[in-house]
Amino acid sequence: ETGVTQSPTHLIKTRGQQVTLRCSSQSGHNTVSWYQQALGQGPQFIFQYYREEENGRGNFPPRFSGLQFPNYSSELNVNALELDDSALYLCASSVDGSNQPQHFGDGTRLSIL
Amino acid sequence: QKEVEQNSGPLSVPEGAIASLNCTYSDRGSQSFFWYRQYSGKSPELIMSIYSNGDKEDGRFTAQLNKASQYVSLLIRDSQPSDSATYLCAVLYSSASKIIFGSGTRLSIRP
């Protein structure tokens, strides 16, 4: 059974650019949740995708958007990057829109210069 | 008041002793509670889930939950240097149907 996989591992961007992060869910899981973890903080919930639609959103601006595909994989898109977007972005998968428990992928470390 | 509160540490414990990590939360309706371990530069790893009042044991780990006091703790017995990590408390908030994480407690096991 494969776990959650994320790509890329690391990414460096400059302010104002756009970025796309990818996540493949664990086998049998149809729900994907995205989190942002800034240095020294716990993960912050960005949003969840279930049945290819957004199924709950945290306190993040609209420039954070996502997609889920028929194979349950997901993308996180961030437009107009800001320095504060530098963080570890984590993806977790689950079943049927649930939130428990969350098993994370290895994450994508995004650095904004 | 923060939704999920943890002492940031660092908490320094001698090898072989019991490490005690604490967490308080503000949502009285919460029913699901989790402890994650995060090594530096790595993603969080789920180590314990607890849903009922009382103690739940798994190997050297014991999670304790007191819903009346809105308090959850993690005990690590016979602490090993490999237990040195940041421990994150997470609560599934019933009102928002999302998991809220604390900022984590940094634990250091000294030989």
Side-chain angles (χ1 to χ4, degrees):
Chain A
E1 181 181 284
T2 54
V4 176
T5 59
Q6 293 186 242
S7 64
T9 307
H10 295 91
L11 207 49
I12 299 174
K13 292 284 188 178
T14 57
R15 277 186 302 172
Q17 285 188 311
Q18 178 266 343
V19 69
T20 297
L21 310 181
R22 294 178 175 84
C23 171
S24 294
S25 61
Q26 183 174 330
S27 177
H29 286 188
N30 58 10
T31 301
V32 172
S33 300
W34 287 93
Y35 292 80
Q36 179 196 67
Q37 187 178 21
L39 199 62
Q41 301 298 315
Q44 301 287 314
F45 176 73
I46 302 174
F47 44 55
Q48 181 187 80
Y49 274 82
Y50 171 52
R51 293 180 173 172
E52 301 178 46
E53 291 189 357
E54 190 178 287
N55 182 44
R57 188 180 182 94
N59 190 25
F60 281 82
R63 60 189 185 84
F64 286 78
S65 63
L67 283 173
Q68 186 179 33
F69 301 99
N71 67 354
Y72 308 132
S73 67
S74 177
E75 287 182 353
L76 164 65
N77 299 291
V78 187
N79 294 322
L81 286 166
E82 301 176 359
L83 293 177
D84 284 350
D85 295 332
S86 293
L88 178 66
Y89 287 84
L90 297 161
C91 169
S93 69
S94 54
V95 178
D96 295 342
S98 75
N99 277 308
Q100 52 179 321
Q102 299 283 267
H103 294 278
F104 293 105
D106 289 338
T108 294
R109 186 160 298 281
L110 176 63
S111 299
I112 310 301
L113 304 180
Chain B
Q1 181 190 7
K2 286 185 181 178
E3 294 167 302
V4 179
E5 202 147 359
Q6 297 181 255
N7 189 319
S8 61
L11 175 65
S12 181
V13 173
E15 185 174 354
I18 296 175
S20 178
L21 304 160
N22 305 314
C23 171
T24 57
Y25 59 95
S26 60
D27 180 17
R28 283 200 168 275
S30 295
Q31 298 293 325
S32 304
F33 307 86
F34 311 96
W35 282 99
Y36 287 80
R37 177 177 62 200
Q38 187 171 27
Y39 293 115
S40 181
K42 301 294 186 182
S43 66
E45 172 194 11
L46 180 68
I47 53 173
M48 291 287 285
S49 305
I50 187 166
Y51 305 97
S52 306
N53 277 330
D55 295 1
K56 179 182 177 183
E57 189 173 315
D58 184 0
R60 295 186 297 113
F61 299 99
T62 299
Q64 299 176 316
L65 175 61
N66 183 327
K67 291 183 182 177
S69 300
Q70 294 173 244
Y71 178 93
V72 58
S73 65
L74 179 71
L75 302 178
I76 306 174
R77 289 182 302 281
D78 188 23
S79 295
Q80 303 296 311
S82 60
D83 295 326
S84 297
T86 295
Y87 289 80
L88 298 161
C89 172
V91 178
L92 177 58
Y93 263 56
S94 56
S95 55
S97 192
K98 64 181 181 182
I99 291 185
I100 308 293
F101 284 81
S103 296
T105 298
R106 201 152 44 96
L107 175 66
S108 176
I109 307 301
R110 58 181 190 270

